[in-house]
Amino acid sequence: MHAMQYELTLPADYHMAVIRARVARVGHLLDDWEGLGFKTYLIRERGVNGSSVNQYAPFYLWDTVEGMNTFLWGGAFQGLSNDFGRPSVRQWTGLSYEEGGAVGSPGRSAVRRRQPVPEGVELAGLMVDAVKETERLAGEDGAVFAAAAVDTARWELVHFSLWGHEAPKADGDLFEVLHVSAPGRERLPRGRQW
């Protein structure tokens, strides 16, 4: 499993209705994308739920590298790059994935928490803790799924959770979900990924 996200931080006076209309128009195009576990079409609006920015920030869980690369190099990503400029694409190696009790329901909110991996920490123990946090989040009421992944170039952990309601029990950046494409949900490996 591979996690991926890019963030388009937009001007403070940007009309987020433009992003909403874009997702309504093209969101379905990844509903059957080979190699994609999940794509969550996420936004944050300045002044809403504590956000200081307007942002479009889709988050992906890929079950194959080929699916991810076909998306990035096969033309689908080019449309976004043509319209907004090519964003930096963050990638993390999967540590854990768990489905929650609300799996199959439409996601309404998502939480992403990034945290540095401290220098000198025992890595195996920290990664086991990340797996336990995934399990805890997935066990909360309204959780659709939870995942953890690590970027070993920046030594950063990311915890991501999708929720079927607007009041998730998770710490981090809160996003509104505009659409979810989940063609390969059933192929994502459950539990610890090593």
Side-chain angles (χ1 to χ4, degrees):
M1 180 182 78
H2 303 277
M4 183 179 94
Q5 185 177 40
Y6 47 87
E7 299 172 329
L8 300 174
T9 301
L10 304 160
D13 61 349
Y14 191 85
H15 296 286
M16 294 302 285
V18 172
I19 299 298
R20 291 176 187 281
R22 178 187 182 86
V23 171
R25 189 177 71 252
V26 301
H28 70 281
L29 296 176
L30 269 66
D31 286 352
D32 61 357
W33 195 273
E34 187 63 36
L36 177 63
F38 274 98
K39 177 181 180 178
T40 54
Y41 296 76
L42 308 177
I43 63 168
R44 295 195 297 166
E45 287 191 71
R46 187 170 187 246
V48 176
N49 293 320
S51 179
S52 61
V53 296
N54 286 327
Q55 194 173 67
Y56 175 52
F59 192 93
Y60 303 73
L61 289 178
W62 297 95
D63 67 316
T64 71
V65 173
E66 293 82 8
M68 180 175 66
N69 287 344
T70 299
F71 173 79
L72 290 170
W73 321 137
F77 182 68
Q78 190 63 50
L80 176 103
S81 296
N82 291 346
D83 291 346
F84 294 99
R86 187 176 59 216
S88 175
V89 179
R90 299 289 314 273
Q91 294 183 34
W92 299 267
T93 300
L95 294 173
S96 180
Y97 170 78
E98 295 290 346
E99 293 186 343
V103 70
S105 67
R108 297 191 59 199
S109 63
V111 177
R112 180 206 59 209
R113 179 169 48 100
R114 295 185 302 210
Q115 66 184 84
V117 174
E119 184 67 37
V121 71
E122 195 261 319
L123 294 174
L126 186 66
M127 298 311 151
V128 167
D129 289 345
V131 170
K132 289 178 184 174
E133 177 65 2
T134 301
E135 294 167 352
R136 184 193 72 76
L137 288 169
E140 293 287 346
D141 183 48
V144 176
F145 74 81
V150 64
D151 175 343
T152 57
R154 294 184 181 185
W155 287 109
E156 175 186 71
L157 279 173
V158 64
H159 296 274
F160 184 82
S161 50
L162 182 65
W163 302 84
H165 55 70
E166 295 175 0
K169 291 184 180 176
D171 295 326
D173 296 319
L174 180 62
F175 295 87
E176 179 184 350
V177 178
L178 300 182
H179 180 73
V180 177
S181 294
R185 177 186 67 80
E186 70 284 349
R187 289 188 305 272
L188 287 171
R190 308 302 191 272
R192 187 172 130 164
Q193 310 272 317
W194 77 97

